[in-house]
């Protein structure tokens, strides 16, 4: 005779509520091995294994409707394989969405240090909107930077060829032109980026724009630049907005 377990014992064993087990019974997911006349439910090891499977699939993100379909499907493992693939894609999408939200939260946490600059929610919204625009701007500048690098490589290659051919006059003209074009393009890109950004002091919350020279000479990361605040006079890494 198989060992039987009351609904309370099974609930304690699997760390779920008796209400959950009754719900599974009502939905036709797992029926007790038998129910006595007084309404007491009793389970055997087979039903406990089924409940464990349901809880496992539920933890993976499956809905109870999917789990019920799987349990009742005669194809068994094949259906499970298909459902796992589907659930994997859904979970992957959720992870990507959560990752994007996490990045926004992390950014807001950095901004949170600058509480003096955030007088209301519109400030946060404005900064987040600017951040999206800056991200797009940085991407465009990376493309331009890559094209400029390719141009430099092509220019150096041409210069080497002219040097080997002893075409000195043309070589000098080509080198001067290359330097001028690279410098002008780099200056233009830097100036364009400079005109799109402002900086927030982490100490007093003042929003300011440094001089173009200071902007170019200051140490920086992709989102912060070490600047001296014109209001409080403290030098620190200021958030770029």
């Amino acid at each position: 005779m198989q060992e039987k377990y009351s609904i309370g014992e099974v609930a304690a064993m699997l760390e779920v509520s008796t209400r959950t087990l009754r719900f599974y019974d009502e939905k036709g997911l797992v029926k007790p091995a038998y129910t006595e006349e007084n309404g007491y439910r009793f389970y055997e090891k087979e039903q406990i294994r089924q409940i464990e499977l349901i809880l496992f699939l539920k933890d993976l993100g499956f809905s109870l409707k999917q789990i019920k379909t799987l349990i009742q499907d005669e194809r068994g493992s094949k259906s499970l394989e298909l459902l796992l693939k589907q659930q994997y894609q859904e979970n992957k999408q959720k992870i990507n969405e959560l990752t994007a939200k996490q990045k926004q939260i992390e950014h807001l946490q950095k901004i949170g240090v600058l509480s003096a600059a955030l007088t209301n929610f519109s400030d946060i919204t404005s900064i987040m909107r600017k951040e999206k625009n800056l991200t797009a701007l940085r991407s465009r500048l990376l493309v331009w930077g890559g094209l400029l690098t390719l141009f430099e490589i092509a220019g150096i290659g041409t210069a080497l060829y002219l040097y080997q051919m002893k075409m000195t006059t043309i070589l000098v003209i080509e080198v001067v032109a290359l330097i001028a074009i690279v410098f002008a393009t780099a200056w233009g890109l830097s100036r364009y980026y400079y005109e799109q950004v402002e900086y927030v002091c982490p100490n007093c919350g003042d929003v300011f724009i440094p001089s173009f020279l200071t902007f170019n000479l200051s140490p920086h990361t992709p989102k912060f630049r070490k600047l001296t605040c014109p209001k409080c006079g403290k030098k620190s890494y200021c958030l770029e907005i």
Side-chain angles (χ1 to χ4, degrees):
M1 182 177 179
Q2 290 196 44
E3 192 172 358
K4 63 180 182 179
Y5 302 87
S6 69
I7 189 171
E9 290 173 328
V10 175
M13 187 188 308
L14 301 179
E15 297 182 349
V16 296
S17 66
T18 55
R19 183 178 178 182
T20 297
L21 297 179
R22 291 191 185 95
F23 180 75
Y24 289 169
D25 182 6
E26 292 168 4
K27 294 297 180 180
L29 287 164
V30 178
K31 293 286 185 182
Y34 62 91
T35 304
E36 293 185 345
E37 293 181 1
N38 56 13
Y40 289 168
R41 295 172 171 84
F42 288 91
Y43 297 82
E44 295 177 350
K45 289 186 177 180
E46 182 181 351
Q47 288 78 43
I48 293 174
R49 283 194 293 268
Q50 290 176 350
I51 297 169
E52 287 176 330
L53 175 61
I54 291 170
L55 295 174
F56 172 71
L57 294 174
K58 196 166 178 289
D59 283 342
L60 291 180
F62 287 100
S63 67
L64 290 179
K65 184 178 180 181
Q66 289 175 314
I67 295 172
K68 184 176 181 179
T69 301
L70 177 62
I71 291 174
Q72 295 176 346
D73 196 330
E74 295 179 355
R75 292 180 299 173
S77 59
K78 186 65 178 178
S79 297
L80 177 59
E81 182 181 351
L82 293 173
L83 280 174
L84 284 173
K85 286 181 179 179
Q86 178 185 345
Q87 193 62 39
Y88 174 81
Q89 293 300 326
E90 290 179 5
N91 288 348
K92 189 175 181 180
Q93 183 178 348
K94 289 177 182 177
I95 289 171
N96 291 337
E97 291 173 356
L98 287 173
T99 300
K101 290 178 181 178
Q102 280 292 90
K103 288 181 179 179
Q104 284 190 327
I105 291 172
E106 288 171 3
H107 187 61
L108 282 173
Q109 285 176 330
K110 290 178 181 178
I111 296 171
V113 178
L114 318 173
S115 56
L118 303 178
T119 55
N120 52 52
F121 286 110
S122 64
D123 291 334
I124 297 177
T125 304
S126 175
I127 289 176
M128 293 305 294
R129 184 167 55 249
K130 286 183 179 180
E131 174 61 24
K132 288 183 179 180
N133 294 336
L134 281 177
T135 299
L137 175 61
R138 292 183 188 115
S139 298
R140 291 197 298 271
L141 289 178
L142 281 175
V143 173
W144 276 102
L147 293 174
L148 186 60
T149 301
L150 291 175
F151 179 77
E152 290 176 12
I153 293 172
I156 292 171
T158 303
L160 289 173
Y161 171 77
L162 293 173
Y163 177 77
Q164 290 175 351
M165 298 300 293
K166 297 183 179 180
M167 302 171 70
T168 309
T169 303
I170 299 176
L171 172 61
V172 171
I173 295 173
E174 194 268 346
V175 170
V176 171
L178 176 64
I179 293 173
I181 292 172
V182 170
F183 178 80
T185 304
W187 184 90
L189 291 174
S190 179
R191 186 75 193 185
Y192 176 70
Y193 187 75
Y194 166 75
E195 292 174 352
Q196 309 301 313
V197 298
E198 296 176 315
Y199 292 89
V200 184
C201 175
N203 303 296
C204 67
D206 186 47
V207 179
F208 65 96
I209 300 175
S211 68
F212 184 57
L213 180 62
T214 302
F215 169 83
N216 282 286
L217 297 180
S218 299
H220 63 278
T221 68
K223 295 183 179 181
F224 293 86
R225 195 171 294 267
K226 195 170 187 179
L227 301 167
T228 300
C229 175
K231 184 176 181 180
C232 67
K234 294 182 179 179
K235 189 171 186 177
S236 51
Y237 277 92
C238 301
L239 176 68
E240 194 171 78
I241 62 172

